Amino acid sequence: MRAARLIKMVLLLQARASMTAAELAEELEVSERTITRDAQALSEAGVPVYADRGRTGGYRLIGGYRTRLTGLARSEAEALFLSGVPGALREMGLEDAASAARLKVSAALLPSLRDASQSAAQRFHLDAPGWFRETPAPALLPAVADAVWDDRRLLARYRRQDSEVSRELEPYGLVLKAGVWYLCARVPDPGSGSGSGSGSGSGSGSYRVYRIDRFTSVEPHGENRFVRDEDFDLPGFWEERAAQFARAILRESVVLRLSPDGARQLPYVTDRAAAHEALADAEPDERGRVTITLPVESTVVAYSQLLMLGPEAEVLGPPELRDRLAATAARMAALYR
């Protein structure tokens, strides 16, 4: 436990010019007294940790000291090589950079751990696209990825229904969802100072999501980088927007009577969250059946989904959906008679 903490302390001091005892204590979740003892232990072990005195003082490494990654356990080294997704890196134009980084990390590892990259690759592979469809990488993805990495503003043209719109964007992050690439970007407010290209203030604006395969052109906009909002949380933002999208497309509803088997299967054939919410307060009748109102995208989509439940689901409304399923059931009965 202490050895891992000492390694993390050295890595923190390598990453930052100086850190106070209070900052280190917060990062490492220990007391400032423990930080003092750990700094002394590192110094005695030959790590040049220096303590600056005074109100603005802190701890730092002197002489450009860098540690080799010899403190990694095998499981940690293998996890490190799993952090990249080969297909995604290739599509963003980062395959060569990732390969060079892996070589540098491998060279710094102990000889007994240098097969970690091969070991991890033999045991895990992420195949992001869905089945039965080709999802080629958008042609403009490398240019968008460069802007994301470099915090460069973009002037983008984007297909929206039957028209094209032009947007100034501050590209914050990329998301690969089921083989489709999305850009999470901030659209600066008019007059915020972000659009002139003459300044690098943080500005203000709204965050939006764009499908990259709908961009028709992207080009750098302005000479200065935008200042990223450090409070922006890409995974949290994406999770919230994905949930909003899933709720927004459920514009209609159907009334169902489900058998116990139908209730168990429902989350696997329709929107999982909507199914669980609809079933949560349902009271079974004397035969164990439940009657629920289920939000759906449309009756057309619901028809295809509910067919998979067969006789385990009875549609009580709307009448047109019930009639369509009844007609389908009659045709199937005639076919198998």
Side-chain angles (χ1 to χ4, degrees), residues 172-203:
Y172 266 66
L174 295 168
V175 175
L176 176 60
K177 170 72 171 179
V180 179
W181 283 95
Y182 296 87
L183 173 68
C184 301
R186 182 167 62 181
V187 181
D189 288 334
S192 66
S194 299
S196 66
S198 59
S200 57
S202 59

Side-chain angles (χ1 to χ4, degrees), residues 143-154 169-173 186 199-201 220-230:
V144 175
D146 284 345
V148 169
W149 286 114
D150 207 26
D151 292 341
R152 292 282 185 183
R153 295 186 186 92
L154 288 175
L169 302 176
E170 295 177 354
Y172 266 66
R186 182 167 62 181
S200 57
H221 185 63
E223 297 178 357
N224 296 311
R225 297 176 174 86
F226 67 89
V227 177
R228 178 178 290 267
D229 181 357
E230 296 300 330

Side-chain angles (χ1 to χ4, degrees), residues 7 11 14 67-72 80 104-105 108-110 113:
I7 292 172
L11 293 176
Q14 281 186 187
T67 182
R68 292 167 61 85
L69 296 176
T70 53
L72 288 177
L80 177 64
K104 290 177 181 179
V105 173
L109 292 171
L110 289 172
L113 298 179

Side-chain angles (χ1 to χ4, degrees), residues 129-135:
W131 289 100
F132 311 122
R133 61 186 179 128
E134 292 291 332
T135 52

